[in-house]
Amino acid sequence: MNKIPTPPNYETSIKAAFQDSTLSYSRHPLNEATAEFTILMDLMDAHHIQNGLTVSRIANPVLYSQFCARRAELIKLKCRDSSILQSVGLTEEEISLWTSSQTLKELPEYSDNCALLFHCTKTDLNAVLSEGLDNRKAAQGSLGPGIYFSASPGYSLRYDRFSTIIVFMVLLGDCLNVTQHQSPREPEKAPSQRRNKFDMFFDSICSNDQYVIFNASQCVPLYTVAYNSASTSFPHKSRAPPAFTWSSNGPPQIPSKSWKFDARQVFAKMSSTIVAAGPQKLNLPAVAVCQICTNCPCEWIQLTCSHWFNLCSQCRNELEDGNIFGQCPWCSLIVHKCYGKGSMTTSVIYHRTPGYDSRTIAVDYKLPGSTKRAYFPQTTEGSRIVELLKRAWDRRLTFKLDQSNKPVFIFEHKTSLSGGIEKNGYPDTGYLERLVKELEKYGIQ
């Protein structure tokens, strides 16, 4: 329990989101062929409907930092294991003083009991992903006020308005199994349930499929699962509370078997599958040409994210040197540096954009040795797309270098106000919609 459990490559996603000044969180679409996607489908009992689902990993550095801080706070209050106490920043002297104050040695060692549980919202999905859940807006459910989760995706759907299930990692800690609870905070422990004089409250409560926390920092969103509400239904399986939950009469029993929603076990399975998986185990098709240059003898290689890609040796060297653009086809992780030298500026020009009754936004890219200009209508959608392109620029995802070592656009840009599609200009009625879909593939939305 020394380390917080995380999905494969999550730390890399958190660092990338932290460095992007334009976003509070990043979204990374999951390919259906990955172990991460498959194991999530196992968790949701959703293999029969997975073709209609869009799954993305969410990385929010602020919410993750708050989650880590809350976990460290609870460990310092309740844990006796010196190695775990050391991992959250206590000195040897503090550990000695702290462990000597533990009064009830017979109680089980504290565990954070991190679980993957489901949550839906009727308010603002983007606010939940960017700002987290709000204690002040906590629901008055059957177990009283609190932040509710479920071990059944089907149960969560009754609270959904956006056709999206959010998979949270939830710090359950000392979880009390209850039949009713109406207090707006955690239930108090009996004296016989306290490890020391500071261990006064349970960290969460549960009843059947429902789990309730009272501190929003004890959860962090990790995945979104978007579904078609008209044609998709999730099973609602009633599940008994896990063995680590406490009763009002005493401490929990030592679990005799694993729990399906244990975050550590789920992520360990994802990681071990990724490390072991080669192209045959993933059932990848035989590709005769390089997936970048298309005309060279090639072989399957493992990228830094542990997934597999079909590349020739030259393109592999170019990828590693950052001279050409590349992205893992399975987890969308950027596996090298991208071309982003120079500056990006915008201005409004008084020319009408053909096909739109509006002025035109000019986007200027100044690159070493060259400049490029693109045009967008000054409409609500056009202005929104320009903001998305600013995020792409900040992430160094606007240009790649061609075979002549010259920068070319990764995303489709209109470099002319006339000439239509043939001249890379306007009018082109489907252009903005195409561009939005291109940006979404790279988690920019």
Side-chain angles (χ1 to χ4, degrees):
M1 199 189 75
N2 293 37
K3 188 177 179 182
I4 298 177
T6 56
N9 305 311
Y10 184 72
E11 297 288 347
T12 303
S13 301
I14 285 290
K15 289 178 183 177
F18 186 79
Q19 292 168 354
D20 187 344
S21 60
T22 63
L23 285 175
S24 57
Y25 69 92
S26 61
R27 186 189 295 267
H28 305 267
L30 297 188
N31 189 292
E32 292 182 11
T34 60
E36 191 170 4
F37 183 97
T38 301
I39 291 168
L40 274 177
M41 293 302 98
D42 287 338
L43 195 70
M44 303 179 75
D45 296 313
H47 279 293
H48 64 294
I49 55 173
Q50 70 179 55
N51 292 334
L53 304 180
T54 301
V55 182
S56 299
R57 187 195 312 130
I58 303 299
N60 187 318
V62 173
L63 296 184
Y64 179 61
S65 176
Q66 292 173 351
F67 180 88
C68 295
R70 176 59 176 166
R71 175 181 177 271
E73 178 184 345
L74 290 175
I75 285 175
K76 289 177 182 178
L77 282 177
K78 305 187 177 199
C79 188
R80 292 190 297 257
D81 189 310
S82 58
S83 63
I84 297 176
L85 290 170
Q86 191 172 21
S87 71
V88 295
L90 266 63
T91 65
E92 291 186 7
E93 183 178 2
E94 290 171 328
I95 292 171
S96 178
L97 288 172
W98 190 249
T99 54
S100 64
S101 70
Q102 306 287 337
T103 55
L104 298 178
K105 305 289 186 180
E106 67 276 8
L107 289 178
E109 182 55 82
Y110 181 72
S111 172
D112 55 22
N113 288 319
C114 288
L116 295 184
L117 298 172
F118 309 111
H119 180 92
C120 291
T121 181
K122 292 182 178 180
T123 54
D124 187 337
L125 177 62
N126 185 64
V128 171
L129 299 178
S130 58
E131 303 168 17
L133 297 171
D134 192 335
N135 290 48
R136 296 166 297 180
K137 300 177 182 178
Q140 177 71 39
S142 59
L143 298 177
I147 301 173
Y148 281 70
F149 303 90
S150 178
S152 168
Y155 186 90
S156 298
L157 290 187
R158 64 184 70 182
Y159 304 101
D160 182 34
R161 191 167 67 87
F162 299 94
S163 299
T164 300
I165 298 173
I166 311 172
V167 183
F168 276 83
M169 180 161 63
V170 185
L171 196 161
L172 295 175
D174 287 338
C175 182
L176 178 64
N177 191 359
V178 300
T179 55
Q180 61 180 4
H181 179 74
Q182 297 301 321
S183 171
R185 67 163 302 168
E186 304 93 330
E188 189 172 356
K189 286 184 171 183
S192 61
Q193 296 172 323
R194 300 174 185 176
R195 296 181 182 86
N196 58 61
K197 62 183 179 182
F198 305 107
D199 182 17
M200 298 182 64
F201 297 95
F202 288 98
D203 307 323
S204 61
I205 60 174
C206 72
S207 179
N208 297 323
D209 293 326
Q210 297 185 84
Y211 294 82
V212 185
I213 60 174
F214 303 87
N215 186 321
S217 295
Q218 285 177 218
C219 64
V220 59
L222 293 186
Y223 299 97
T224 57
V225 181
Y227 64 94
N228 186 334
S229 58
S231 59
T232 304
S233 62
F234 288 87
H236 178 193
K237 294 184 177 180
S238 183
R239 305 178 190 276
F244 62 73
T245 57
W246 295 57
S247 69
S248 57
N249 298 323
Q253 302 297 316
I254 297 175
S256 58
K257 60 181 180 178
S258 61
W259 188 42
K260 180 177 181 178
F261 301 95
D262 185 313
R264 283 183 174 78
Q265 295 179 17
V266 174
F267 297 147
K269 190 184 299 183
M270 288 178 181
S271 299
S272 62
T273 305
I274 285 176
V275 171
Q280 294 79 19
K281 292 186 178 181
L282 285 175
N283 295 318
L284 300 181
V287 181
V289 296
C290 173
Q291 289 176 280
I292 290 182
C293 70
T294 74
N295 59 3
C296 298
C298 58
E299 62 180 352
W300 289 102
I301 65 164
Q302 196 169 27
L303 301 176
T304 55
C305 58
S306 298
H307 291 131
W308 293 82
F309 204 25
N310 213 50
L311 294 177
C312 66
S313 57
Q314 180 178 350
C315 284
R316 178 180 184 176
N317 292 335
E318 293 290 322
L319 266 177
E320 292 173 349
D321 292 340
N323 294 327
I324 59 175
F325 176 79
Q327 184 182 37
C328 175
W330 309 111
C331 68
S332 301
L333 184 74
I334 304 302
V335 293
H336 67 96
K337 299 180 295 181
C338 302
Y339 189 88
K341 300 176 182 177
S343 63
M344 173 188 177
T345 58
T346 62
S347 60
V348 177
I349 59 177
Y350 292 91
H351 292 285
R352 179 178 172 273
T353 307
Y356 298 88
D357 186 19
S358 70
R359 295 175 179 175
T360 299
I361 302 174
V363 178
D364 292 296
Y365 298 100
K366 292 185 179 181
L367 308 172
S370 67
T371 60
K372 294 183 182 291
R373 169 171 277 198
Y375 302 96
F376 300 88
Q378 196 187 21
T379 61
T380 300
E381 182 67 357
S383 299
R384 185 179 79 88
I385 287 175
V386 170
E387 291 302 312
L388 295 178
L389 289 171
K390 289 179 180 178
R391 297 179 187 175
W393 172 262
D394 287 340
R395 296 186 189 183
R396 303 177 70 190
L397 288 176
T398 305
F399 293 96
K400 63 181 179 180
L401 297 178
D402 64 12
Q403 293 182 349
S404 301
N405 216 30
K406 295 180 180 179
V408 295
F409 287 116
I410 293 172
F411 306 110
E412 182 181 2
H413 282 62
K414 293 294 185 185
T415 54
S416 174
L417 280 172
S418 61
I421 298 176
E422 294 79 10
K423 301 288 186 179
N424 200 28
Y426 293 93
D428 182 352
T429 56
Y431 168 58
L432 296 183
E433 183 179 355
R434 291 198 309 273
L435 181 54
V436 167
K437 289 181 179 179
E438 287 182 33
L439 290 163
E440 285 178 350
K441 291 179 181 177
Y442 293 83
I444 302 171
Q445 53 191 326

